[in-house]
Amino acid sequence: MDLDKTAYHKVEFPRIVLAGGRVIDNMRDELKGLGLKKVGILTSKTPYNMLREKISRSLSGANISHEYEIDDYSPHEVLSQRFLVKFSGKIDAVVAVGGGRVIDVSKLVAEKGNISFISVPTVPSHDGIASPIVSIPSAKGRTSRFSVTPQAIFVDVTVLANVPHKYIASGFGDVIAKYTAVRDWRLAHLLLGEYYGEYTANQSKTCAEMVMKKSEEIGEATKDGVRTLTEALVNCGLLIGIAGTSRPCSGSEHLFAHALDAVANFPALHGEEVGLGTMMMTYLHDADWQGIREGLMNARAPVTAKQIGVSEGNLIKALTATASMRPDRYTILGEKGLNEKAAISLAKATQVI
Ligand SMILES: [Zn+2]
């Protein structure tokens, strides 16, 4: 490698990652070490009702005063602005206790308010729980970009194993996506000379292999299965911070999910859509798409358009729009992507329709 031609990039890590059983009960000492005086907690109704007491006990035990704000489902920008006005100048950090939406809005709050972000995920549905990427839904689907790295991540497997199964299935889909993300990344490197980090690419692939090995346990939502899944999700998030790009975790399968959100108005959970995309993009890479399908089925994740409530027409529309979702991201789809005939062939060959 010619180092002169390799651009440098910044690596950012969280200070603390605490993952395992009963983390929320035991995070007091770690919180103490963060030097926080007052935090604002963004959460939604269910986690607020279930976890408020434990969260408050840990924060009070660490001498951190705190106040809650409940998600009212207003657009990301609106909610983040309201949160900032309410807590303006009064808090050192925003603590996200919730799912993807709460975590994304909290990243915006931390970014705009120049304060720390602490991630306490309550569902294992995607790798945003540890990544510096913020994902904002819009009429055009979803836009993702770099935002803030969490200062600390508290992942309580006891909580994450006891959620409706679709969230676990979604997390599985978001991790196996790394098989195609890494293949697309390598292709962009070989064909267009894009920066490629072999270390992060291999680590990312390992995350996918680990959850694939445990697909049945993940399907049964055993503690061990969910633990492997959450560790993989956290690792993937960290890998984005190391690589300085979302490339190790996001390729054509993610572009497909973005296209599906745009065409069918967010029909399913992010990772459920990404899982379907992974299966189809694996077929295009001429790799073991049946293995991906089997893994998804073991994890009790959807493998057909019908299972995520998407019509055949919309699925094909999304496939033909996939390559144009992000023209700067070169993938197996090339610049123009699939025409309708090719999209139908692909969806039929992989039994998605
Ligand atoms: Zn994802």
Side-chain angles (χ1 to χ4, degrees):
M1 189 198 290
D2 182 351
L3 279 176
D4 290 337
K5 285 187 184 159
T6 311
Y8 61 83
H9 68 257
K10 190 165 84 172
V11 172
E12 272 194 33
F13 284 119
R15 266 182 67 189
I16 297 163
V17 179
L18 203 62
R22 310 223 167 276
V23 160
I24 290 175
D25 291 310
N26 293 298
M27 61 184 188
R28 190 192 64 183
D29 291 346
E30 300 301 334
L31 283 168
K32 263 187 193 165
L34 296 176
L36 303 168
K37 287 195 174 68
K38 177 160 185 186
V39 298
I41 303 167
L42 184 63
T43 187
S44 49
K45 248 187 189 163
T46 310
Y48 178 75
N49 291 333
M50 280 174 61
L51 301 169
R52 180 188 43 173
E53 235 172 83
K54 288 179 176 183
I55 299 265
S56 284
R57 200 181 309 135
S58 288
L59 285 165
S60 300
N63 292 322
I64 301 170
S65 64
H66 52 278
E67 208 176 313
Y68 292 86
E69 180 69 13
I70 312 281
D71 183 6
D72 63 353
Y73 299 99
S74 51
H76 285 49
E77 298 285 350
V78 175
L79 180 56
S80 61
Q81 200 50 43
R82 205 184 69 215
F83 189 95
L84 276 169
V85 169
K86 176 173 172 178
F87 292 108
S88 170
K90 291 184 227 153
I91 54 173
D92 318 306
V94 50
V95 181
V97 180
R101 215 189 104 83
V102 160
I103 287 176
D104 281 323
V105 173
S106 299
K107 285 177 184 170
L108 287 181
V109 167
E111 184 186 297
K112 289 189 211 160
N114 200 19
I115 53 173
S116 295
F117 160 56
I118 294 169
S119 175
V120 187
T122 54
V123 286
S125 58
H126 63 101
D127 62 19
I129 56 183
S131 83
I133 302 285
V134 66
S135 171
I136 304 165
S138 70
K140 287 187 194 151
R142 214 170 245 289
T143 46
S144 299
R145 60 171 174 80
F146 264 76
S147 179
V148 295
T149 299
Q151 185 190 23
I153 306 162
F154 297 100
V155 187
D156 195 327
V157 178
T158 331
V159 172
L160 299 185
N162 287 301
V163 296
H165 189 76
K166 65 176 182 172
Y167 294 105
I168 295 171
S170 170
F172 181 83
D174 207 22
V175 177
I176 60 158
K178 310 328 173 200
Y179 279 123
T180 39
V182 166
R183 284 194 180 100
D184 284 330
W185 192 15
R186 178 131 184 92
L187 208 55
H189 170 66
L190 291 174
L191 301 180
L192 300 175
E194 199 177 298
Y195 161 76
Y196 177 74
E198 206 160 356
Y199 168 79
T200 39
N202 283 334
Q203 290 283 313
S204 188
K205 205 174 120 204
T206 304
C207 289
E209 285 165 357
M210 293 295 291
V211 299
M212 200 55 126
K213 260 192 221 159
K214 295 255 170 98
S215 58
E216 284 173 15
E217 286 95 322
I218 291 167
E220 288 158 20
T222 65
K223 284 255 161 65
D224 188 39
V226 176
R227 190 190 180 109
T228 302
L229 174 64
T230 50
E231 282 174 358
L233 289 168
V234 170
N235 272 332
C236 292
L238 299 181
L239 288 171
I240 295 175
I242 296 173
T245 160
S246 61
R247 271 287 194 186
C249 296
S250 172
S252 49
E253 75 299 319
H254 269 73
L255 297 181
F256 165 74
H258 295 334
L260 201 57
D261 284 337
V263 168
N265 194 22
F266 303 90
L269 291 174
H270 168 73
E272 293 179 311
E273 299 171 3
V274 164
L276 274 192
T278 303
M279 193 167 69
M280 293 188 283
M281 300 309 152
T282 302
Y283 179 92
L284 294 182
H285 276 286
D286 198 19
D288 181 17
W289 68 270
Q290 281 120 323
I292 300 286
R293 187 169 193 270
E294 213 172 291
L296 285 166
M297 284 163 72
N298 286 343
R300 293 200 287 131
V303 291
T304 66
K306 204 174 171 193
Q307 286 170 333
I308 56 165
V310 171
S311 67
E312 290 190 8
N314 274 346
L315 188 104
I316 300 307
K317 233 190 216 173
L319 272 176
T320 55
T322 296
S324 64
M325 292 313 289
R326 201 177 153 176
D328 63 316
R329 177 140 292 187
Y330 193 82
T331 70
I332 188 74
L333 295 166
E335 267 175 21
K336 290 205 170 138
L338 302 171
N339 64 23
E340 195 181 320
K341 190 177 173 199
I344 293 171
S345 298
L346 172 60
K348 283 196 170 154
T350 49
Q351 298 167 36
V352 171
I353 60 170

